[in-house]
Amino acid sequence: MNATILNPSIGRDKLESLAYSKVTWRLLPFLFVCYVAAYLDRVNVGFAKLQMLSDLKFSDTVYGLGAGIFFIGYFFFEVPSNVLMHRFGARVWISRIMITWAFVSTGTLFATTPTTFYILRFLLGIAEAGFFPGIVLYLTYWYPAERRSRVNALFMMGIPVAGVVGGPLSGWIMQAFNGVQGLANWQWLFLLEAIPSFILGVVTLMYLPNGIRSAKWLTDAEKQLLEDRIAEDGAGKLHVKVSSVLSNGRVWFMAAIYFCCMMGLYGVGFYLPTLIKAAGVTDALDIGTLTAIPYGCAIVAMLLFAKSADRLRERRWHFAAAGLMASAGLLIATLFSSNIGIAMVALSLGTAGVLATMPVFWAWPSAMLGGSAAAAGIGLINSVGNLAGFVSPTIVGWMKDVTHSTNTGIYVIAAALFVGACLALFQPRERVDN
């Protein structure tokens, strides 16, 4: 029998600390790696664009619509996916999501016309729907509200790490595999970067417990303590029918804030390689290497903002500060786009700000909602917010074709981030600062 049960000298606080340390080390590294794979498959089309458009004779409008149509499928299937995960369990559902999107992502290498490109991107959105909000919901099964900004940051660091790792990796694939076995470099990109998602999807079936009670690596005392903490945390939360969540004004207000935040995230995700190329860098491997710099800065910013928000129990101003930093960075990068030095510093500031908003934001809905309401509410907020992933590249692509510059589109994204930062300050303090 485990020493934590037999030894009465181990107090509740120490047992809780040991239990959460065990949970964190067991779950977060794996979920983090899964998110790296997910985000890489979602935005590697930004690197494929460097060669794909000329090979297939696509315009920037076609690319922008194709990059963004992913989020239409995502929007329609995300809430149902999250509700089904809550009902049937995370292990099978997350595995299903990852294996499905790996196959669809691979299929993108067969795109030959705008129509096939649109269909494959739409199907990828359907396949991936539910992954991110599913993990956010899954973490609420384990951690109380006061721990969630830091835990969310550890998971969501998968985005900047995907940039740090994926940038040089994508650049290398684009450079080294062009013409191999008769495939273009962008086709190899979709094929090779889908393999980790498939492998991780299979591993999920064997590795991921559905919740505290099914975690064989926790003692009975640890399970009871963690379940008690979740029960205490759930007191006072909103537990209502799914239909009521969909008509809840507070949920829609948070969705609007998140939409503004996602305008920045996908503006960076889909156009960072293009912005660096516009600053005078032409080699694919060099572009990939330079994209790692802004994402490396974002890793530090996410951890600092999340830790400070949890420690001070203050989230509105932390979110607003990060959003304003992101808006200013993208604005400066656009104004000085021809100066690689200034542009890289500004892009690093903008990317860090965009990514730092995310772990702070996701502590809000999980603190307010519980049970099936959390499943539906988190799914709704994420699906509506991620419609920005359709709007953002579509606007930039269309404006690029009209004005022959990405500048106007990036100005729109910077303005959206500014609006989101301001809206966050209208959140009632007692609802989000905990």
Side-chain angles (χ1 to χ4, degrees), residues 68-230:
I69 206 168
F70 166 98
F71 297 96
I72 302 299
Y74 199 84
F75 172 79
F76 284 111
F77 286 86
E78 190 157 34
V79 172
S81 179
N82 230 32
V83 172
L84 288 171
M85 193 200 85
H86 181 69
R87 179 178 298 176
F88 296 116
R91 182 176 60 87
V92 171
W93 201 250
I94 296 300
S95 175
R96 192 281 306 166
I97 289 173
M98 298 189 70
I99 292 172
T100 305
W101 95 51
F103 279 110
V104 178
S105 183
T106 301
T108 310
L109 69 89
F110 298 109
T112 56
T113 66
T115 300
T116 56
F117 181 50
Y118 298 154
I119 291 172
L120 287 164
R121 289 292 296 176
F122 180 77
L123 291 176
L124 184 63
I126 293 174
E128 196 185 318
F131 176 78
F132 175 81
I135 299 300
V136 171
L137 175 65
Y138 180 68
L139 293 174
T140 68
Y141 300 165
W142 299 85
Y143 295 93
E146 68 266 18
R147 293 179 178 266
R148 284 192 197 131
S149 283
R150 285 165 290 176
V151 170
N152 286 342
L154 291 172
F155 165 60
M156 294 173 196
M157 275 198 307
I159 296 177
V161 169
V164 170
V165 175
L169 175 63
S170 298
W172 174 74
I173 291 172
M174 294 284 286
Q175 186 178 73
F177 282 81
N178 194 28
V180 175
Q181 298 296 317
L183 295 177
N185 51 12
W186 58 270
Q187 291 176 306
W188 278 108
L189 186 69
F190 290 124
L191 175 61
L192 295 177
E193 292 189 350
I195 293 173
S197 297
F198 176 79
I199 295 173
L200 288 166
V202 174
V203 173
T204 298
L205 277 173
M206 301 175 283
Y207 186 84
L208 199 68
N210 283 326
I212 295 170
R213 188 50 52 183
S214 60
K216 297 178 180 179
W217 34 269
L218 289 174
T219 68
D220 289 341
E222 290 167 340
K223 290 178 182 178
Q224 188 60 55
L225 186 147
L226 296 180
E227 288 176 338
D228 289 345
R229 290 292 288 112
I230 294 300

Side-chain angles (χ1 to χ4, degrees), residues 71 73 111 229 277 288 324-325 398 407:
F71 297 96
R229 290 292 288 112
K277 185 176 182 180
L324 292 174
M325 185 170 78
W398 175 71
N407 288 5

